[in-house]
């Protein structure tokens, strides 16, 4: 019996697909993103059963499945828990985006927020680095209204 995969000459068609779409981020997402956009505030919410604090906020706790109704405002400062650097060039898609990605546990939160680091060389990034948010001048209601997180003065020795 022959293997049909060895008999097929695969064809590749190059094209560009543009599919515009919209969706609702819901009540929880809207409240979080409006606070970023309008007030430069970072909100979180807290599970009533486990005490876990989520940023970005969640509608229901993934641990207890309970609805989350308690909201908190975080200072925005936090600690880098892990990080990596993008080694490929994506200037065509994201020309102003940082090349350093990190998980940041914001003060008061128990879950890490994935975001970008800026104003720091990769060689100077360490686990435990204290960071603060830098907001864009013009904000649109998106997680990237925080342009990136930068080291705080707490890191200087």
């Amino acid at each position: 019996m022959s293997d049909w995969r060895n008999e097929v000459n695969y064809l590749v068609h190059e094209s560009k697909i543009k599919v515009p779409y919209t969706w609702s981020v819901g009540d929880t997402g809207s409240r979080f993103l409006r606070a970023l956009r309008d007030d430069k505030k970072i909100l979180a919410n807290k599970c009533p059963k486990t005490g876990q604090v989520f940023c970005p906020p969640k509608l229901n706790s993934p641990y207890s499945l309970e609805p989350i109704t308690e909201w908190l405002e975080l200072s925005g400062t936090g600690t880098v828990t892990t990080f990596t650097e993008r080694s490929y060039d994506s200037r065509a898609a994201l020309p102003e985006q940082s090349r350093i990605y990190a998980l940041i546990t914001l003060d008061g939160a128990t879950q890490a927020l994935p975001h970008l680091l800026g104003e720091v060389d990769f060689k100077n990034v360490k686990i435990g680095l204290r960071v603060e948010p830098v907001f864009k001048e013009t904000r649109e209601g998106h997680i990237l209204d925080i342009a990136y997180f930068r080291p705080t003065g707490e890191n200087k020795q």
Side-chain angles (χ1 to χ4, degrees):
M1 178 176 207
S2 77
D3 185 354
W4 64 268
R5 288 171 290 202
N6 293 329
E7 299 171 9
V8 175
N9 289 324
Y10 293 99
L11 300 176
V12 176
H13 176 72
E14 292 184 28
S15 67
K16 292 183 181 181
I17 299 174
K18 184 175 182 179
V19 182
Y21 58 95
T22 58
W23 70 95
S24 170
V25 296
D27 293 340
T28 303
S30 293
R31 184 173 180 178
F32 173 70
L33 294 173
R34 275 195 311 269
L36 287 178
R37 181 190 68 196
D38 299 343
D39 304 316
K40 294 184 184 179
K41 290 183 179 179
I42 300 175
L43 300 181
N45 60 10
K46 183 176 180 179
C47 174
K49 272 196 172 173
T50 66
Q52 295 287 316
V53 177
F54 302 100
C55 183
K58 300 193 180 305
L59 179 63
N60 296 301
S61 171
Y63 301 107
S64 69
L65 305 179
E66 293 288 320
I68 302 176
T69 58
E70 183 180 350
W71 286 82
L72 309 165
E73 182 182 334
L74 304 179
S75 68
T77 57
T79 304
V80 171
T81 58
T82 190
F83 59 95
T84 190
E85 183 177 35
R86 183 183 72 232
S87 59
Y88 60 89
D89 186 5
S90 67
R91 281 180 289 184
L94 302 165
E96 299 173 13
Q97 192 175 29
S98 169
R99 297 177 68 93
I100 305 171
Y101 300 92
L103 289 179
I104 301 162
T105 302
L106 297 174
D107 297 345
T110 55
Q111 305 292 313
L113 172 73
H115 216 291
L116 305 165
L117 297 181
E119 298 183 38
V120 63
D121 290 331
F122 184 73
K123 66 182 181 214
N124 296 327
V125 179
K126 306 275 186 265
I127 291 174
L129 180 71
R130 297 287 296 157
V131 294
E132 63 188 1
V134 174
F135 285 88
K136 288 182 176 176
E137 220 27 64
T138 303
R139 295 174 303 281
E140 302 174 0
H142 191 280
I143 190 63
L144 291 177
D145 285 349
I146 303 171
Y148 54 84
F149 284 79
R150 68 179 173 206
T152 67
E154 298 174 46
N155 299 300
K156 296 185 175 146
Q157 300 173 354

